[in-house]
Amino acid sequence: MSTDTGGPGGEDGNGTTKIDVRVPTELLEEIDNKYQRRGYTSRSEAIRDALRDWVDPTVQLSEETLEDLAASREQREQGETYSANDVRTRLGLDGEE
């Protein structure tokens, strides 16, 4: 961690801390070539976002799941689905099993 910023432990007073990280030159060149195209204003902003995603990754659904959801949505729109309560009533279930 770098301590060349104002506060203790490298903190800058804005709730951030500067750290030094070594990355392969080729990776840094890729970051520099892409961060603006992806809507980031700086290399640091892009790297912070990547670290956030690493700490708390977004959930990605498989193609199969997305296809199943689309089919389910289409069935609902065409009136081919029933609520759980309707199914229980049709089957004579009262939910007390």
Side-chain angles (χ1 to χ4, degrees), residues 23 28 31 40 42-52:
V23 297
L28 187 60
I31 292 168
Y40 296 102
S42 68
R43 175 197 295 168
S44 292
E45 182 184 8
I47 293 170
R48 280 192 299 272
D49 196 40
L51 290 171
R52 282 187 206 98

Side-chain angles (χ1 to χ4, degrees), residues 14-82:
N14 291 324
T16 62
T17 302
K18 180 179 178 183
I19 61 171
D20 292 323
V21 178
R22 293 189 181 275
V23 297
T25 303
E26 289 177 11
L27 177 58
L28 187 60
E29 288 172 356
E30 283 187 55
I31 292 168
D32 286 343
N33 289 332
K34 294 181 181 179
Y35 76 83
Q36 287 181 322
R37 285 187 297 173
R38 293 188 179 189
Y40 296 102
T41 58
S42 68
R43 175 197 295 168
S44 292
E45 182 184 8
I47 293 170
R48 280 192 299 272
D49 196 40
L51 290 171
R52 282 187 206 98
D53 192 47
W54 180 75
V55 169
D56 187 18
T58 56
V59 176
Q60 292 186 345
L61 302 176
S62 69
E63 284 298 317
E64 181 181 4
T65 300
L66 292 172
E67 289 169 7
D68 289 345
L69 287 171
S72 177
R73 188 175 306 113
E74 186 175 318
Q75 289 172 340
R76 185 187 71 228
E77 290 170 356
Q78 294 176 2
E80 299 174 359
T81 61
Y82 305 96

